[in-house]
Amino acid sequence: MTKPSHLLDTAQQVIKAEAAALETLAAQLDTSFDAAVTLLLNAKGRVIVSGMGKSGHIARKIAATFASTGTPAHFVHPAEASHGDLGMMTRGDVVLVLSNSGETPELADLVAYTRRFNIPMIGVASRPGSTLLQRADIAIVLPNLGEACGTGIVPTTSTTMTLALGDALAIALMKHRDFTPENFRDFHPGGKLGAQLSKVADLMHVGDTVPLAQVDTPMSDVLLTISKKGFGVVGVLDSKNSLVGIITDGDLRRHMDGLLTHHAGDVMTPQPQTIAPKALAEEALALMNSREITTLFAVDPDAAGNVAGILHIHDCLRAGIV
């Protein structure tokens, strides 16, 4: 039985071998990478990514990364392509084909289709003289290194380099398009990523649900608003409907004596903490935690202090922002 220490040695050797391969790939990239990015940027249609076996798994991931970072893309299985899915490709598309050897037979029909209908093709392989790279419009050559398994039969180093190359293409395209975190959230509304990129405007309460009162509103009416709206606070507006104060439970306690003889402007705390609707909800949560408060009024700085909505700390927690 293999000793645990030997297993650890094997793991470290594999990771070091793949890390070294990535360093070699980075140093070897040339103008073909620039040409590939330019071709992808100018595509009027979609990017079709294909590969067989382990390259196919990598191709699926690359297509998904493209699609989520602003480059419309989908994966086409080369075997399925030969049975009708070639129709998923059309003029205006760009095809990215992955094959470590460059001689994968299942790719033949797909490659021939791109040549027949003049669909631009980027080939990625480790053999410059391979059929795939010879027929490609743009050939990206991977370093022809041994696999990390040591026997040369298990795709490891080659798939790691291909995956990294796909990431490099996607990020280069993303940066050229000035793809922002806000754009990214449009494609990732769910899960932890979506939560982290949520804006205050996505979570805040708006319209009649927002607890508001004018500065001259009697406190008897303010108490009814606090009770009815359920946020435990009321925002106080001046004659121009700009937020000038807030009434909280603490303000009510401080003015308990003769409370009902006062108006909102007498009881409020002026210049309350606010946040912009376009701010990240994560920023709002951090602000509420630091100020030890549970609500924030969202005020558009371009709207003369008018209230756009109200955000409660529970809204952030329900959305998965922690």
Side-chain angles (χ1 to χ4, degrees):
M1 181 178 293
T2 304
K3 294 181 180 180
S5 60
H6 292 167
L7 296 176
L8 180 60
D9 289 342
T10 298
Q12 292 173 337
Q13 289 170 9
V14 168
I15 293 171
K16 288 178 180 179
E18 296 196 8
L22 292 177
E23 291 284 352
T24 303
L25 172 63
Q28 185 174 300
L29 287 180
D30 55 20
T31 55
S32 63
F33 182 87
D34 291 330
V37 171
T38 300
L39 182 60
L40 294 168
L41 281 170
N42 293 331
K44 299 184 183 303
R46 296 177 178 270
V47 177
I48 310 300
V49 192
S50 189
M52 192 68 190
K54 301 300 185 294
S55 292
H57 295 306
I58 300 300
R60 286 182 186 274
K61 192 275 179 184
I62 292 174
T65 302
F66 280 164
S68 68
T69 52
T71 300
H74 63 257
F75 170 79
V76 171
H77 194 289
E80 296 295 337
S82 299
H83 294 274
D85 282 1
L86 286 173
M88 298 175 70
M89 298 185 294
T90 185
R91 289 186 176 90
D93 292 341
V94 172
V95 179
L96 174 62
V97 182
L98 315 177
S99 170
N100 185 42
S101 67
E103 301 293 348
T104 306
E106 291 88 350
L107 293 171
D109 289 341
L110 185 146
V111 171
Y113 186 87
T114 67
R115 304 304 79 190
R116 178 182 177 188
F117 291 100
N118 296 317
I119 300 173
M121 183 180 70
I122 302 167
V124 177
S126 62
R127 299 176 185 176
S130 63
T131 301
L132 173 61
L133 296 191
Q134 289 295 316
R135 303 195 69 183
D137 296 289
I138 297 172
I140 298 180
V141 182
L142 298 175
N144 192 2
L145 304 174
E147 301 290 2
C149 64
T151 62
I153 59 174
V154 181
T156 47
T157 303
S158 59
T159 50
T160 297
M161 288 191 294
T162 307
L163 181 60
L165 176 66
D167 288 343
L169 287 169
I171 301 305
L173 292 166
M174 184 181 77
K175 289 191 173 182
H176 190 279
R177 292 192 171 103
D178 293 326
F179 195 82
T180 65
E182 288 75 15
N183 299 137
F184 189 77
R185 185 188 177 275
D186 290 338
F187 299 111
H188 296 77
K192 182 64 176 177
L193 284 174
Q196 289 177 335
L197 295 172
S198 294
K199 296 179 182 177
V200 170
D202 299 324
L203 305 179
M204 69 184 187
H205 303 265
V206 298
D208 292 338
T209 63
V210 182
L212 297 172
Q214 298 292 323
V215 290
D216 57 356
T217 300
M219 282 305 299
S220 57
D221 291 338
V222 171
L223 290 174
L224 289 174
T225 300
I226 291 177
S227 176
K228 180 180 179 181
K229 303 295 184 179
F231 289 96
V233 299
V234 166
V236 182
L237 308 178
D238 63 12
S239 59
K240 297 181 180 179
N241 287 328
S242 296
L243 185 71
V244 292
I246 187 173
I247 298 176
T248 67
D249 289 340
D251 296 311
L252 297 178
R253 289 193 296 270
R254 283 188 290 272
H255 294 83
M256 187 63 69
D257 291 340
L259 178 65
L260 297 183
T261 66
H262 292 299
H263 293 83
D266 304 324
V267 177
M268 72 180 190
T269 296
Q271 299 179 333
Q273 179 68 59
T274 62
I275 195 161
K278 293 181 180 180
L280 290 176
E282 194 172 44
E283 177 186 341
L285 179 60
L287 186 58
M288 284 188 276
N289 285 331
S290 66
R291 296 296 182 94
E292 297 184 346
I293 56 179
T294 59
T295 56
L296 279 173
F297 281 96
V299 175
D300 190 340
D302 299 325
N306 289 352
V307 174
I310 186 171
L311 182 71
H312 195 281
I313 193 169
H314 290 165
D315 301 319
C316 297
L317 298 178
R318 277 192 295 268
I321 303 168
V322 293

